[in-house]
Amino acid sequence: MAGSRLPRQLFLQGVAAVFMFAFASLYTQIPGLYGPEGILPARRTLRPQGKGRWQQLWETPTLLWEAPRLGLDTAQGLELLSLLGALLALGALLLSPLRHPAVYLLLWAAYLSACQVGQVFLYFQWDSLLLETGFLAVLVAPLRPASHRKQAPQGRRAGALPHEGLPFWLVRWLLFRLMFASGVVKLTSRCPAWWGLTALTYHYETQCLPTPAAWFAHHLPVWLHKLSVVATFLIEIAVPPLFFAPIRRLRLAAFYSQVLLQVLIIITGNYNFFNLMTLVLTTALLDDQHLAADPGHSSHKKTATSRPKALLATLSLLLELAVYGFLAYGTVHYFGLEVDWQQRTVHSRTTFTFHQFSQWLKTLTLPTVWLGVASLAWELLSALWRWTQVRGWLRKLSAAVQLSLVGTATVALFLISLVPYSYVEPGTHGRLWTGAHRLFGTVEHLQLANSYGLFRRMTGLGGRPEVVLEGSYDGHHWTEIEFMYKPGNLSRPPPVVVPHQPRLDWQMWFAALGPHTHSPWFTSLVLRLLQGKDPVIRLVQSQVARYPFHEQPPTYIRAQRYKYWFSQPGEQGQWWRRQWVEEFFPPVSLGDPVLETLLRQFGLQDKNPPRARGANSTLAQALHWTRTQLSPLEAPALLWGLLVAVGAVRVVQALLAPWSLRSSPEALAIREKHRPAPQKDSGATSEQATPAPSPCSSGSRTTRRKK
């Protein structure tokens, strides 16, 4: 197997980029979500219980416990963490010395701290995925940059350590768990849209935040939608086991299939940094040879191949073709694919039952665990073999200690991950080793391993449910309150906000799926809008002048539930159609008994006014000044600006790279070694073309060389 030095670097840079986007996106929303006048003030989540400092930190692992020591309240501490996290991630993205385990540990700890007080607005699968991936980056990151290591003996990659590729295997295992579980839950949920292969006929218009491309995808032929669902099942269920295939071409084919799926999702949906995070995970399927990072493989001369190697290559090719043939046959058989040449369509249907799939899953889940065990065992043996090649007893001892520590951590994390992975099949979950359950229970609150299962059920089969807020001064004339990102105005095109996640707009989508009592935060949103709180208004409209009640808060607020559909082709100036369904939230005003009852029922009343902690401290003033400077920018523009800045710096680094290489100590040493012998002093007269060497001058040159 080829090396993984460059894929590991791509992974570390990708993780840093996602952390940067996640922290920057969260920072823009903190005052409205978690500030003293926000929807769910963060100060309510951290209340000392009289426990010891370290016990309190272990039970609720967040650095925000230390905010009062800095003269900050919880929301200000969250702002500080987000700013420092974004800057640190930006540094790790641009500067290789900052891709250090300590840096990624700080990023992970900062985001975990935010999630502890984030409540429902930070309770998404991609937040858990970022935490798990971020912790893996701590193990993948090298302790010392490769350029600072001594040159390795001939025939070996410079600076390579036996354990370096071991934690990177956990990234591949995480990608397998994510994709396999996401495919399986679509069928175990018994969702009729997934089983009928019609899910994508609804998905594009019912997803949380569609893009303009989703409108065009929605109007594709139904047979193509059904065929796309079949391809989704193939990529998410059948392909992931190939992540561990011994044939690298199979792994590369799996890589490109995953990339294709994620890119299509990015084009048609605003899923913040989730798909970017998944693309980062796919780097674990690459190697240096494929990325042309290993000159020994890409530019070697063709030599005569021995008969055993030729036979092995032939068997490998035959096995690869057999796998492709098996996947093609299984897809055609289990989904009844038939080509209709007259209508130029492909018909598809599921030919298996839920019971058959459940039996298949029960039979296959445990073998996938053993597949992971076998693959990890191979990685451990490979690392052990590399350790035997280390020369020098001191280096061998150091490598043994590092391999033991990293190997133990890798095995422990694998065991922990088996528990949430086995949730896809209850029978397998009960048959796991009890030690794995105990280990997982001990560290579960650190989110080192999580269960996944995206798009479990397709919602909005009868129309996309959407909550529309309305305000009024007299209770008779109502004005709609339009959000920046979620559907509302029928003539406004869907926005493109990736990699930003407008967390209020996302929760509004979930709120529309049930009664308002299932979303207690909605009552707090209504209260803050009635009070005219500027931080919350900026979550609805960052340009306050566009908010219909920016001059005076409304006296009454209510909410209506509509059903939305994409407009039909030919409807000029319209992106949506809608139909009123019912009242979602009754008309209320400040002091209304209904509102007060709901606030008291959900524990959202402001019993004690927030104390102005550290408002005059230097750090608090610096945070306020930073917020003032950045507030005119909309969140997507801020994140895109960061992306453009990173691209510009990358271009400058690429332009300066040749000069830095020429001026590096290694390059200077090579030039000095190959410099031709010095000629006679140029100050000699031109008439003497080739003067005889003087003994004195020769001796002086010899003396200088000795010195």
Side-chain angles (χ1 to χ4, degrees):
M1 294 176 65
S4 61
R5 179 184 59 85
L6 189 54
R8 291 200 305 271
Q9 287 300 315
L10 287 176
F11 169 75
L12 293 174
Q13 293 178 62
V15 172
V18 174
F19 266 124
M20 179 186 70
F21 291 138
F23 279 120
S25 174
L26 177 62
Y27 171 78
T28 62
Q29 305 172 76
I30 289 174
L33 295 179
Y34 305 117
E37 297 179 342
I39 298 174
L40 295 177
R43 60 185 172 84
R44 299 174 181 169
T45 61
L46 295 183
R47 295 176 178 173
Q49 303 294 328
K51 300 178 181 178
R53 183 179 181 182
W54 294 109
Q55 182 182 359
Q56 182 175 259
L57 184 62
W58 173 254
E59 293 180 356
T60 308
T62 175
L63 299 174
L64 295 175
W65 287 116
E66 305 302 316
R69 298 176 183 270
L70 300 176
L72 305 175
D73 61 26
T74 305
Q76 290 172 327
L78 187 57
E79 284 192 32
L80 180 62
L81 275 183
S82 299
L83 279 175
L84 293 179
L87 291 175
L88 193 59
L90 177 62
L93 178 59
L94 295 176
L95 303 174
S96 58
L98 288 181
R99 294 172 207 141
H100 188 275
V103 171
Y104 287 97
L105 183 62
L106 288 174
L107 292 173
W108 172 81
Y111 204 73
L112 178 64
S113 300
C115 288
Q116 295 300 312
V117 301
Q119 304 166 80
V120 69
F121 293 108
L122 272 169
Y123 193 65
F124 292 96
Q125 290 194 45
W126 34 85
D127 294 314
S128 300
L129 180 64
L130 178 55
L131 283 173
E132 185 170 352
T133 307
F135 192 80
L136 294 184
V138 177
L139 299 178
V140 173
L143 284 172
R144 291 185 301 166
S147 59
H148 293 168
R149 299 172 190 164
K150 295 181 179 180
Q151 184 70 21
Q154 282 187 340
R156 296 177 54 215
R157 190 171 285 103
L161 295 174
H163 70 276
E164 282 187 343
L166 196 55
F168 201 42
W169 178 89
L170 288 171
V171 179
R172 195 188 314 175
W173 173 246
L174 172 57
L175 178 65
F176 169 79
R177 288 164 39 218
L178 171 67
M179 301 311 301
F180 186 75
S182 297
V184 164
V185 298
K186 292 176 175 61
L187 294 175
T188 56
S189 67
R190 300 195 184 194
C191 175
W194 286 115
W195 278 91
L197 306 182
T198 59
L200 292 185
T201 61
Y202 306 102
H203 165 74
Y204 296 113
E205 74 175 1
T206 62
Q207 60 183 323
C208 179
L209 296 177
T211 66
W215 186 93
F216 296 95
H218 176 73
H219 293 292
L220 292 173
V222 174
W223 70 266
L224 188 56
H225 284 309
K226 299 179 73 172
L227 192 62
S228 300
V229 173
V230 173
T232 301
F233 285 136
L234 176 66
I235 294 173
E236 291 187 344
I237 298 178
V239 171
L242 299 182
F243 297 169
F244 308 103
I247 303 174
R248 64 184 299 271
R249 283 195 300 265
L250 288 176
R251 297 196 303 274
L252 293 177
F255 165 78
Y256 284 109
S257 67
Q258 303 302 318
V259 169
L260 174 64
L261 177 62
Q262 300 307 317
V263 169
L264 291 176
I265 296 176
I266 291 174
I267 293 173
T268 58
N270 289 290
Y271 289 96
N272 48 81
F273 56 81
F274 165 64
N275 303 108
L276 301 178
M277 187 80 264
T278 307
L279 287 173
V280 170
L281 294 177
T282 61
T283 57
L285 303 177
L286 298 174
D287 54 44
D288 290 340
Q289 180 179 344
H290 184 67
L291 297 175
D294 193 344
H297 286 83
S298 59
S299 61
H300 67 279
K301 295 181 179 180
K302 294 184 178 180
T303 57
T305 306
S306 62
R307 184 170 299 178
K309 288 185 178 181
L311 179 61
L312 184 61
T314 303
L315 291 176
S316 175
L317 179 60
L318 291 176
L319 179 59
E320 183 181 357
L321 294 176
V323 170
Y324 295 144
F326 177 76
L327 290 177
Y329 171 78
T331 304
V332 172
H333 175 72
Y334 287 108
F335 293 100
L337 299 184
E338 296 179 358
V339 179
D340 189 333
W341 298 105
Q342 293 183 348
Q343 298 183 1
R344 296 182 180 180
T345 61
V346 178
H347 299 291
S348 55
R349 69 186 189 283
T350 51
T351 61
F352 53 94
T353 64
F354 176 79
H355 175 72
Q356 290 173 328
F357 179 75
S358 299
Q359 292 300 316
W360 173 85
L361 185 62
K362 186 178 298 184
T363 304
L364 189 67
T365 304
L366 194 58
T368 59
V369 172
W370 286 112
L371 174 64
V373 171
S375 180
L376 178 57
W378 174 259
E379 294 291 334
L380 289 168
L381 290 175
S382 300
L384 188 61
W385 181 85
R386 290 192 297 269
W387 173 78
T388 62
Q389 308 303 306
V390 176
R391 296 293 178 261
W393 69 270
L394 190 58
R395 293 182 61 192
K396 205 177 190 72
L397 178 61
S398 174
V401 173
Q402 295 180 65
L403 179 58
S404 301
L405 294 176
V406 174
T408 302
T410 301
V411 172
L413 286 174
F414 173 70
L415 289 175
I416 291 171
S417 69
L418 292 179
V419 177
Y421 168 65
S422 63
Y423 291 157
V424 298
E425 206 287 299
T428 303
H429 181 73
R431 295 165 62 184
L432 284 181
W433 178 46
T434 55
H437 287 280
R438 288 196 299 268
L439 191 60
F440 175 74
T442 303
V443 298
E444 182 178 6
H445 64 296
L446 299 179
Q447 299 192 50
L448 301 182
N450 305 278
S451 60
Y452 303 100
L454 299 165
F455 306 109
R456 185 185 302 267
R457 296 187 65 88
M458 195 55 56
T459 59
L461 301 187
R464 171 197 181 97
E466 199 67 58
V467 172
V468 176
L469 278 165
E470 297 176 341
S472 173
Y473 290 120
D474 56 10
H476 299 288
H477 302 87
W478 295 88
T479 303
E480 292 189 7
I481 299 175
E482 185 177 356
F483 283 66
M484 285 185 291
Y485 308 115
K486 81 180 195 69
N489 190 334
L490 302 182
S491 60
R492 191 188 66 180
V496 176
V497 299
V498 169
H500 173 57
Q501 181 184 359
R503 295 182 180 267
L504 176 59
D505 293 66
W506 267 86
Q507 286 299 333
M508 288 290 289
W509 181 81
F510 283 105
L513 301 178
H516 72 84
T517 53
H518 290 179
S519 303
W521 59 267
F522 189 85
T523 303
S524 182
L525 171 64
V526 170
L527 173 67
R528 296 309 189 195
L529 293 179
L530 286 171
Q531 294 172 340
K533 298 301 182 182
D534 185 73
V536 177
I537 292 174
R538 289 185 179 275
L539 292 178
V540 179
Q541 284 290 344
S542 61
Q543 302 296 331
V544 179
R546 298 178 183 176
Y547 182 67
F549 303 98
H550 64 277
E551 295 181 353
Q552 179 184 349
T555 307
Y556 302 93
I557 280 185
R558 70 182 184 184
Q560 308 287 347
R561 196 198 312 268
Y562 286 85
K563 283 192 175 181
Y564 275 64
W565 298 269
F566 272 140
S567 62
Q568 296 297 321
E571 297 183 28
Q572 297 296 329
Q574 295 289 316
W575 286 85
W576 298 96
R577 295 177 293 113
R578 75 178 185 182
Q579 178 182 346
W580 181 85
V581 177
E582 61 183 350
E583 183 179 76
F584 179 78
F585 195 90
V588 294
S589 59
L590 289 177
D592 190 293
V594 174
L595 180 61
E596 295 298 325
T597 301
L598 290 172
L599 291 172
R600 185 167 51 253
Q601 176 183 345
F602 299 134
L604 297 173
Q605 285 182 314
D606 288 323
K607 299 178 181 179
N608 299 314
R611 293 175 292 178
R613 184 193 299 273
N616 298 321
S617 68
T618 304
L619 188 54
Q621 290 177 354
L623 289 173
H624 177 72
W625 180 85
T626 305
R627 173 71 60 185
T628 303
Q629 300 303 310
L630 296 178
S631 58
L633 292 174
E634 292 190 10
L638 176 62
L639 269 63
W640 295 336
L642 283 173
L643 187 60
V644 171
V646 169
V649 173
R650 283 293 191 191
V651 170
V652 173
Q653 288 177 334
L655 293 175
L656 295 179
W659 171 257
S660 62
L661 288 176
R662 286 197 299 268
S663 60
S664 64
E666 294 82 358
L668 291 176
I670 293 174
R671 287 201 296 270
E672 183 69 24
K673 180 178 179 181
H674 294 284
R675 179 179 297 173
Q679 302 296 324
K680 186 177 178 358
D681 191 351
S682 59
T685 57
S686 59
E687 289 82 0
Q688 298 172 339
T690 54
S694 167
C696 295
S697 62
S698 175
S700 64
R701 283 197 300 270
T702 305
T703 304
R704 283 198 298 270
R705 281 197 297 271
K706 287 182 179 179
K707 289 181 181 179

